[in-house]
Amino acid sequence: MWNFKQFDRSCIAPILLVFGIAGAAFPVQAGNNPADPSKVVRVALQAADDGFDLVRTYNAYSNWVSEAIFERLLTYDYLARPAKLVPGTAEAMPEVSDGGKTYVFHIKKGIYFSPDPAFKGVRRELTAEDYAYTFKRFLDPKNRSPSANVLQGKIVGMDELIAKAAKTGRFDYDAPIAGLLTPDRYTLQIKLNAPDYNFLYVMGFNGFGAQAREAVDAYGDRTPAHPVGTGPYMLQEYVPRSKIVLVANPEYRGYTWDFKSSGSAWDDQLVRDMKGKKMPQVGRVEINIIEEEQSRWLAFQDKQIDFDYLPQAAAPTVLDGKKLKQSFVDQGITLDTVTEPGVVYIFMNFRDPLIGGSSLEKNALRRAIAMVYNIKDEISQARLGLAVKAEMAIPEGVIGHDPNYRNSISYDPVLANKLLDRFGYKRGADGYRTLPDGKPLTLKITTEPNATNTVFSEIWKRGLDKVGIRVDFPVSNFADNLRAANECKLMMWNGSWNADYPEGENFMQLLYGPNVGQGNNGCYSSPAYDALYVKARATPPGPERNQLYIDMSRQMEADTAWVLTTSRLRNWMIRPWIKGFKRHPILQADWQYLDVEKH
């Protein structure tokens, strides 16, 4: 996850949303949430969110918070590895028929949205229609959802409604749709145009947490700052780009912690600490936006943050090989080390007039650029060893990853120089190259203002100097950069993607031509790649599908769409008063699974 369409920030007041106070004006019967208001978890995000309406925006930081507010039909078992889908608000896994084209979900009764003025003092129960409405919002052309591709073309009768809305400017949310039926209050029936072998994963996609139509109607363009869900938490305070405070949703029904150990010592300890507790225990989550790693590290050391991943720069002073140094062990700090199910890459905009296009000379330029980026330097200097080289776009731990695959683009400045010479990128008297037509050649690699990105820029500058290519590094904040990337306005940018679900399609869709503006931020377009992608989606899981993923990876490399760099290692450091912590490969908002001991 990470790409998203930006909304108009003028719709958000600087400090808003004391939902507990607003809701208190209405008589609402409390639910069963056992959370203790005195138990507080304090965490930090490394970049700002962009609001909490995942129809309009999708990035790791908005997702992290939204996951605690909204609930999907399906979710994941907290401890199971590999990641395992389990019922969320659904009573059980769906009934599947018609050769995998019809899914029937039965919604649990007695689930309620958090109290909100939009409901005019009435307890609002979750129904099947709320999911149908949410799916329609993603596909409403007016919303220009960056995640619409997850559902586009799949539901019987939906394409006709979308086409009509595109023509009239109005999406008819009340129009009957053959493939999206709610035969009763708690039953949702979805009929697909064709079998989709990843559809259960789609139903576990975090963006598909149920929204209430009344709330969206009440807040309109302010919906991103007014999330109203059925999850364990609700938004109490929101200072954009600074602070987020969540409090326990009094209507949340709660559950009993009863996850099964995978057999590891870590899991066994979690079970001893947590088994049988009424959840959630944490009553308040305080989230601060701290973009600079050193500042986050200082906050953790000062006990202002309860758990965080170890900043790369601090690793030498904290780790003795792969273990914590004794001084940190003596503080009761524990370490959870995981390889993220994700990849880091630099895209090269296929629509950019300077480096884009499919001609041989443009591809030669992109290939030469890719060949001067030293991934070993990134791992040692920017990541300080906390990363491994990524060979293919599907990372380890995700279905479709081939451990024997090796990327065909390697670090080779000598060959890059020969390639540029061969295709007419001549050096001037100052040693820098021009385009074949003699016009200036200057790359623009967009970045953010933090220490790690400064190291990335230095690595790029060293490599590009070896082949005589000028480079500028425009600096802006993450959210604005992502908006520009979504609109194909950035020439090059460092991106990353972590799994929304553990199947290769979730990564390969980032390069699918029709997904430009919906994940494909490099605006890559290749008929050959697209044909392979379409074929892969229609192929059952197994060796044939995995081979198609390999073929797609080779096509992407042949076109030099990305400079694929690393998969990151995350060393999560946890203070001793936090109980129940285990980093999940898909779930992010883990607060509902934790407890806080008094300290």
Side-chain angles (χ1 to χ4, degrees):
M1 73 201 59
W2 136 309
N3 60 299
F4 66 104
K5 179 70 68 176
Q6 189 116 331
F7 58 87
D8 181 5
R9 292 190 176 276
S10 65
C11 70
I12 301 181
I15 302 178
L16 291 172
L17 309 180
V18 186
F19 278 4
I21 294 173
F26 301 92
V28 177
Q29 179 181 344
N32 299 311
N33 196 327
D36 182 346
S38 69
K39 292 184 176 181
V40 180
V41 163
R42 300 161 301 170
V43 296
L45 299 183
Q46 68 183 69
D49 65 273
D50 202 48
F52 313 111
D53 181 4
L54 296 189
V55 170
R56 303 189 192 184
T57 181
Y58 200 73
N59 70 91
Y61 313 108
S62 294
N63 182 79
W64 207 316
V65 177
S66 298
E67 190 177 282
I69 297 172
F70 299 100
E71 293 186 287
R72 295 98 75 196
L73 290 161
L74 303 179
T75 184
Y76 290 86
D77 183 289
Y78 183 55
L79 293 189
R81 303 293 186 274
K84 177 186 176 183
L85 280 170
V86 294
T89 59
E91 289 183 340
M93 298 301 283
E95 302 157 10
V96 185
S97 60
D98 191 21
K101 292 196 293 185
T102 299
Y103 293 76
V104 177
F105 292 89
H106 298 286
I107 313 299
K108 295 173 184 174
K109 299 176 182 177
I111 297 176
Y112 291 89
F113 284 90
S114 61
D116 189 272
F119 303 133
K120 304 186 185 304
V122 178
R123 291 184 86 197
R124 173 62 159 80
E125 188 179 17
L126 175 73
T127 69
E129 183 57 39
D130 294 316
Y131 285 103
Y133 169 72
T134 299
F135 298 157
K136 291 173 185 177
R137 282 199 73 222
F138 274 89
L139 296 170
D140 183 345
K142 180 184 67 177
N143 290 328
R144 302 176 64 193
S145 175
S147 300
N149 63 287
V150 179
L151 280 179
Q152 274 176 346
K154 294 184 179 181
I155 299 175
V156 171
M158 186 67 79
D159 288 352
E160 292 82 356
L161 190 61
I162 295 170
K164 183 177 179 181
K167 186 178 295 185
T168 64
R170 177 182 174 275
F171 191 95
D172 186 354
Y173 283 87
D174 298 312
I177 301 171
L180 195 59
L181 301 176
T182 53
D184 62 55
R185 185 174 176 82
Y186 303 104
T187 302
L188 177 68
Q189 179 178 289
I190 305 172
K191 294 184 178 181
L192 304 180
N193 290 310
D196 182 343
Y197 299 103
N198 284 330
F199 192 68
L200 290 181
Y201 287 131
V202 169
M203 291 295 96
F205 174 62
N206 188 47
F208 292 154
Q211 294 179 307
R213 186 170 181 175
E214 304 97 303
V216 175
D217 287 346
Y219 295 115
D221 288 342
R222 296 176 295 134
T223 296
H226 289 266
V228 182
T230 63
Y233 296 99
M234 61 186 190
L235 188 61
Q236 184 187 65
E237 181 181 350
Y238 183 34
V239 185
R241 304 195 182 193
S242 178
K243 185 177 182 180
I244 304 160
V245 176
L246 303 177
V247 294
N249 169 13
E251 288 286 9
Y252 184 64
R253 60 207 174 277
Y255 69 96
T256 300
W257 204 104
D258 191 29
F259 298 101
K260 303 297 187 291
S261 169
S262 64
S264 69
W266 188 281
D267 280 13
D268 291 345
Q269 184 62 52
L270 260 61
V271 171
R272 288 193 292 271
D273 289 342
M274 301 297 295
K275 187 175 177 62
K277 289 185 178 182
K278 301 300 182 183
M279 304 300 291
Q281 287 286 309
V282 174
R284 181 180 175 90
V285 182
E286 297 178 355
I287 306 164
N288 286 287
I289 314 303
I290 308 177
E291 298 191 25
E292 181 54 59
E293 280 193 336
Q294 181 62 19
S295 298
R296 284 204 316 281
W297 175 233
L298 291 173
F300 179 82
Q301 290 180 296
D302 197 36
K303 300 181 181 180
Q304 298 175 34
I305 298 175
D306 296 318
F307 56 86
D308 196 14
Y309 65 82
L310 176 64
Q312 291 150 181
T317 63
V318 176
L319 298 179
D320 184 3
K322 295 182 178 180
K323 297 182 179 180
L324 286 174
K325 290 186 176 179
Q326 190 60 42
S327 60
F328 293 93
V329 174
D330 292 343
Q331 297 178 48
I333 294 171
T334 51
L335 184 70
D336 183 22
T337 301
V338 296
T339 300
E340 286 187 336
V343 292
V344 179
Y345 57 91
I346 299 96
F347 70 70
M348 290 186 275
N349 185 350
F350 248 61
R351 294 186 182 178
D352 184 84
L354 191 138
I355 65 170
S358 56
S359 68
L360 286 176
E361 66 189 45
K362 294 297 187 181
N363 198 2
L365 175 59
R366 291 192 300 271
R367 178 59 60 94
I369 293 168
M371 292 170 70
V372 301
Y373 186 76
N374 194 328
I375 297 172
K376 288 184 179 179
D377 283 354
E378 175 180 324
I379 293 172
S380 64
Q381 297 171 19
R383 306 292 182 192
L384 298 181
L386 300 180
V388 295
K389 186 177 186 297
E391 297 289 350
M392 70 182 297
I394 301 173
E396 182 180 352
V398 174
I399 297 168
H401 173 79
D402 182 352
N404 298 315
Y405 186 95
R406 293 296 178 267
N407 199 289
S408 61
I409 302 174
S410 60
Y411 176 69
D412 192 340
V414 173
L415 186 56
N417 267 307
K418 292 179 179 178
L419 192 60
L420 292 169
D421 291 341
R422 167 69 177 80
F423 282 90
Y425 294 91
K426 297 185 176 65
R427 288 183 185 266
D430 58 2
Y432 286 103
R433 295 183 185 270
T434 63
L435 294 171
D437 61 6
K439 292 181 180 178
L441 170 55
T442 301
L443 301 183
K444 293 184 183 299
I445 304 177
T446 301
T447 187
E448 286 87 49
N450 60 54
T452 300
N453 279 299
T454 299
V455 178
F456 291 148
S457 299
E458 290 169 353
I459 295 170
W460 271 115
K461 181 69 165 60
R462 287 198 300 269
L464 292 167
D465 279 348
K466 292 179 185 296
V467 292
I469 295 179
R470 287 188 180 87
V471 59
D472 292 333
F473 298 97
V475 178
S476 187
N477 66 74
F478 170 82
D480 289 343
N481 285 341
L482 199 44
R483 175 177 60 180
N486 236 3
E487 297 171 355
C488 299
K489 293 180 178 178
L490 300 184
M491 182 185 294
M492 294 175 63
W493 189 39
N494 189 73
S496 66
W497 190 268
N498 283 351
D500 293 309
Y501 51 87
E503 212 285 331
E505 181 195 6
N506 186 233
F507 289 84
M508 306 315 284
Q509 56 95 15
L510 300 174
L511 293 148
Y512 182 47
N515 286 349
V516 168
Q518 297 178 337
N520 182 354
N521 289 337
C523 309
Y524 174 57
S525 180
S526 161
Y529 183 96
D530 292 350
L532 291 167
Y533 179 82
V534 170
K535 185 176 180 181
R537 283 177 48 165
T539 303
E544 183 181 351
R545 185 172 190 162
N546 292 345
Q547 182 58 50
L548 289 168
Y549 288 151
I550 290 173
D551 294 344
M552 293 156 71
S553 297
R554 292 300 181 205
Q555 184 63 51
M556 180 267 281
E557 291 167 20
D559 294 328
T560 325
W562 282 2
V563 183
L564 187 63
T565 63
T566 62
S567 289
R568 294 169 292 195
L569 301 178
R570 293 294 199 195
N571 287 306
W572 286 88
M573 299 183 66
I574 307 106
R575 287 286 178 186
W577 50 82
I578 297 294
K579 302 299 179 182
F581 182 95
K582 182 179 182 179
R583 195 65 185 155
H584 194 276
I586 307 297
L587 300 174
Q588 295 188 82
D590 41 24
W591 312 304
Q592 64 172 304
Y593 304 105
L594 307 180
D595 195 5
V596 179
E597 289 186 346
K598 305 294 184 181
H599 62 279

